[in-house]
Amino acid sequence: MAKNLVGGENNHVLDSRNATGGQRMLVEYACRLRDEGLDAAGIVAGLESIRDRIELYACVNTLEYLHKGGRISHAVYTLGSLAQIKPIISVDNDGRVS
């Protein structure tokens, strides 16, 4: 859909399968490939070759936003907050948050 909205033959759309941190790494790598003289197709191929090696981990200080976002139930939020649990969240290579 994004490619059709912009139009043009030289537009490429790549699913990063990641969150902000992983997307930034891909953008920086794309800039490096551009500076090396690769064309758009070469840059996309390069990004696809490293995309699945990016792993993102984050430790959250509170369960509040996981609860507000519907990722955990009220009971889990309450018990986890009382126990002062600090979960580690990851984004896997398929873009799934766990």
Side-chain angles (χ1 to χ4, degrees):
M1 285 177 35
K3 186 172 183 174
N4 291 335
L5 285 172
V6 175
E9 291 298 317
N10 201 27
N11 293 319
H12 300 269
V13 178
L14 177 76
D15 181 357
S16 70
R17 298 183 188 157
N18 220 306
T20 305
Q23 290 170 352
R24 179 183 173 136
M25 288 181 217
L26 288 173
V27 169
E28 289 175 353
Y29 187 61
C31 291
R32 205 171 335 145
L33 294 176
R34 178 206 58 206
D35 293 344
E36 292 174 6
L38 270 71
D39 63 355
I43 292 170
V44 170
L47 294 174
E48 288 173 341
S49 73
I50 69 160
R51 167 182 62 189
D52 293 338
R53 296 189 332 222
I54 296 174
E55 296 180 15
L56 178 67
Y57 295 92
C59 183
V60 295
N61 199 33
T62 177
L63 299 176
E64 178 182 1
Y65 298 106
L66 294 174
H67 173 61
K68 285 182 177 180
R71 296 210 178 263
I72 60 174
S73 69
H74 184 72
V76 170
Y77 167 70
T78 302
L79 292 172
S81 295
L82 289 172
Q84 298 181 348
I85 292 176
K86 311 286 189 228
I88 296 175
I89 298 173
S90 68
V91 179
D92 67 16
N93 294 340
D94 292 325
R96 290 177 293 196
V97 177
S98 58

